[in-house]
Amino acid sequence: MDLARRIRTEVDARRDALVALARDLIRIPTLNPPGQCYRDLCEALGARLSASGFTVELLRATGTPGDCEEWPRWNLVARREGALPGDCVHFNSHHDVVEVGQGWTHDPFGGAVEGDRLYGRGASDMKGGLAASVIAAEAFIAACPDHRGAIEISATADEESGGYGGVAWLAERGWFSPERVQHVIIPEPLHKDQICLGHRGVWWAEIETHGRIAHGSMPFLGDSAIRHMGAVLEEMEATLYPLLAGKRTAMPVIPEGARASTLNVNSIHGGEPDRGPGFTGLPAPCVADRCRITIDRRFLIEEDPAEVKAEVTRLMERIRARRPGFRYEIRTLFEVQPTMTDRDAPVVRSTAAAIEAVLGREAGYVVSPGTYDQKHIDRIGRLKNCIAYGPGQLAQAHQPDEWIGITDMADSARVMALVLAELLAPRSA
């Protein structure tokens, strides 16, 4: 029996184990924020990988955003050395999940199975992909125990909030340097027949307008920061949104709407602070002396990041020129450059061949509308040979009743195992 057929047999034999592992991972509520149960998941997965011959390290990203004694940022890196020298193939998955939100008809952390679907928060994004990568590695090792090089599997923190307590921290310490890792696959939910080459750029910023407090019965004695912010939002609608809609990229971004530049106003806060649950009093009559919005600007590889910021500054200056008393501040919260791996990169070619072998059709090539941890592997780790490939549908991410297809997980596990065969099997296999 040739290696490809042995791999398929080994993956198929582990279908129930794949579902069980994914369910076990979903049932650990690794919510971010605040950073709940990170160590619990790392310990459970570490025990599984240790039994499969991996050397496991649990690493706390001390001092990173959000890390504290109550909510420590724990990461797992597991490595299995082969019998012969060779490259290292690394599967990286984030273990954190976003808040549950409203509208669920299944227990978000129950891991319910209905037909071919596995439900739960993180099922698609991305505990199903993490489970598939583990099964792929175990199946490949069983089929090819004398493989070359090394296999690494990581479960990392805080991707949903920027990745600074996870992949960024590891990359800063050399865990993703090209000297120790040569190929990286991130099993994000981009569909089992597509290779994600990279992502758009992002600039998160706060815009604050300033006013002057006064009695609400005499607003003419004050200056409303909320009214000033209303002028900002009106100018965005009139000039900035149309400008961004006209910008298009040659990057194969999905969905189609994300091939343009985009801007989202994430939040708005003005005037008196929200008193929160349980407060039954009335607000005080005050003119708002401050108002703040958070913007999420996604930009294209063809755009200059300095110009992205300058567009907003020019907008604010146009308002200031015509609006008496208008004062503002812009504060950058987070920024990431776009990234895109070359289609001829070794991990891309190997994954494309595996997709065709498993699914019987050519791989598609896409770029993600949002960022993920490839940004840190590229910019900090200096490792370009990196893609996102995994089961699940991007549209399921962060949704109520999030689910992943069980057949999709199994197919992706076969693809990932064949990639390992292409990159690590002995030459005579």
Side-chain angles (χ1 to χ4, degrees):
M1 187 183 299
D2 64 19
L3 180 56
R5 190 172 300 176
R6 293 201 305 272
I7 285 173
R8 181 182 183 93
T9 299
E10 292 291 347
V11 173
D12 289 349
R14 289 168 170 78
R15 185 183 177 98
D16 289 346
L18 171 59
V19 176
L21 176 57
R23 296 181 79 185
D24 287 345
L25 296 172
I26 289 167
R27 287 166 173 165
I28 303 174
T30 47
L31 285 165
N32 178 23
Q36 182 176 311
C37 298
Y38 284 8
R39 182 164 185 131
D40 293 344
L41 186 142
C42 289
E43 288 181 342
L45 185 58
R48 167 66 175 261
L49 292 170
S50 292
S52 297
F54 285 79
T55 300
V56 174
E57 294 189 64
L58 268 58
L59 304 154
R60 177 180 170 183
T62 304
T64 56
D67 178 73
C68 61
E69 289 307 309
E70 187 174 8
W71 311 116
R73 266 45 195 171
W74 284 102
N75 300 277
L76 172 147
V77 180
R79 183 178 178 102
R80 186 185 191 275
E81 297 288 351
L84 300 166
D87 287 351
C88 174
V89 180
H90 184 114
F91 295 99
N92 165 249
S93 300
H94 67 85
H95 58 56
D96 60 317
V97 301
V98 298
E99 65 174 308
V100 171
Q102 303 298 311
W104 287 77
T105 62
H106 296 81
D107 179 352
F109 301 110
V113 173
E114 291 186 4
D116 193 51
R117 293 183 178 184
L118 169 62
Y119 288 88
R121 175 54 83 221
S124 187
D125 184 19
M126 59 182 295
K127 290 179 176 178
L130 171 56
S133 70
V134 172
I135 293 300
E138 292 177 346
F140 170 71
I141 291 165
C144 187
D146 58 343
H147 65 83
R148 297 180 294 116
I151 303 168
E152 284 192 345
I153 295 173
S154 61
T156 52
D158 286 1
E159 188 274 345
E160 297 290 2
S161 55
Y164 294 100
V167 170
W169 185 86
L170 290 168
E172 288 167 353
R173 285 151 182 81
W175 288 87
F176 290 98
S177 68
E179 294 75 29
R180 70 176 305 276
V181 175
Q182 286 72 49
H183 314 269
V184 177
I185 295 176
I186 303 174
E188 289 276 9
L190 275 304
H191 306 292
K192 65 183 178 182
D193 60 353
Q194 296 184 151
I195 298 169
C196 184
L197 301 172
H199 52 71
R200 294 192 296 175
V202 58
W203 176 49
W204 288 352
E206 282 185 344
I207 299 173
E208 185 168 358
T209 53
H210 301 285
R212 185 175 66 255
I213 195 168
H215 199 288
S217 68
M218 298 174 286
F220 46 83
L221 297 180
D223 187 18
S224 174
I226 293 176
R227 290 184 63 187
H228 286 316
M229 189 61 77
V232 173
L233 297 175
E234 184 178 16
E235 183 71 11
M236 284 181 172
E237 292 289 347
T239 64
L240 187 55
Y241 282 109
L243 174 68
L244 301 186
K247 299 186 180 191
R248 305 289 294 178
T249 183
M251 301 171 79
V253 185
I254 57 169
E256 178 65 28
R259 291 201 176 187
S261 296
T262 57
L263 175 72
N264 181 56
V265 178
N266 284 20
S267 62
I268 183 166
H269 304 277
E272 299 176 42
D274 185 0
R275 300 301 178 186
F279 179 73
T280 59
L282 297 173
C286 293
V287 174
D289 61 358
R290 62 202 178 278
C291 187
R292 184 180 72 254
I293 62 172
T294 302
I295 62 170
D296 179 348
R297 170 74 162 87
R298 302 294 169 139
F299 61 95
L300 313 174
I301 204 165
E302 295 88 351
E303 292 186 85
D304 179 357
E307 177 60 19
V308 167
K309 298 177 182 179
E311 289 168 349
V312 175
T313 301
R314 287 196 295 267
L315 178 149
M316 302 299 287
E317 286 297 309
R318 288 196 299 271
I319 301 170
R320 190 164 71 92
R322 65 176 184 257
R323 190 173 180 86
F326 184 79
R327 294 177 294 128
Y328 71 90
E329 293 179 69
I330 302 174
R331 293 183 290 272
T332 293
L333 302 177
F334 174 59
E335 58 184 294
V336 172
Q337 303 302 308
T339 184
M340 190 164 72
T341 299
D342 193 277
R343 284 196 189 189
D344 289 330
V347 74
V348 178
R349 295 198 308 268
S350 298
T351 305
I355 288 171
E356 187 166 0
V358 171
L359 301 177
R361 56 183 180 269
E362 291 187 358
Y365 298 92
V366 299
V367 166
S368 173
T371 69
Y372 53 92
D373 279 333
Q374 184 170 341
K375 58 184 176 282
H376 300 311
I377 293 168
D378 178 3
R379 303 295 177 180
I380 302 173
R382 309 182 319 283
L383 179 60
K384 300 294 184 182
N385 191 37
C386 174
I387 59 168
Y389 169 77
Q393 301 178 23
L394 189 61
Q396 283 296 315
H398 303 190
Q399 291 289 322
D401 281 340
E402 180 182 348
W403 60 270
I404 191 167
I406 294 169
T407 298
D408 291 344
M409 286 196 295
D411 286 343
S412 288
R414 282 195 287 270
V415 169
M416 288 187 266
L418 285 181
V419 173
L420 289 172
E422 171 69 20
L423 296 172
L424 301 183
R427 301 303 183 192
S428 60

